[in-house]
């Protein structure tokens, strides 16, 4: 989706899939779950299928994985 197609300047609702995404509600951007930064849809590259969250960059994605205890050899907190 091109950032100039529909949606105006509102937040899009996205279903995050493995290697793909489905736009549920048109919008121009999503908000990073870790940083709060606006991410234009055409720049969205990082998300969690399990948590259904978008991330602004690889560092934000890694931090989310750490917080979730989802990294290999990482003990999950009870």
């Amino acid at each position: 989706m091109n950032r100039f197609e529909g949606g105006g300047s509102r937040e899009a609702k996205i279903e995050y899939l493995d290697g793909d995404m489905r736009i549920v509600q048109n919008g121009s951007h999503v908000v990073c779950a870790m940083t709060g930064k606006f991410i234009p849809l055409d720049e969205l590259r990082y998300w969690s299928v399990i948590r259904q969250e978008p991330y602004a960059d690889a560092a934000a994605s890694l931090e989310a994985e750490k917080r979730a205890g989802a990294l290999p050899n990482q003990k999950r907190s009870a």
Side-chain angles (χ1 to χ4, degrees), residues 1-65:
M1 176 182 207
N2 185 308
R3 79 171 74 183
F4 301 109
E5 292 176 5
S9 62
R10 68 175 180 240
E11 184 176 357
K13 301 298 178 201
I14 306 291
E15 179 182 2
Y16 301 101
L17 308 170
D18 287 326
D20 202 3
M21 66 181 110
R22 185 175 72 85
I23 298 172
V24 176
Q25 180 178 335
N26 283 339
S28 62
H29 66 278
V30 291
V31 178
C32 177
M34 297 302 294
T35 66
K37 292 180 183 177
F38 282 27
I39 310 164
L41 291 186
D42 61 346
E43 295 178 18
L44 179 60
R45 302 287 182 268
Y46 302 94
W47 60 80
S48 168
V49 173
I50 294 170
R51 291 184 297 281
Q52 290 294 293
E53 295 177 335
Y55 306 113
D57 53 33
S61 176
L62 178 61
E63 187 59 33
E65 292 297 308

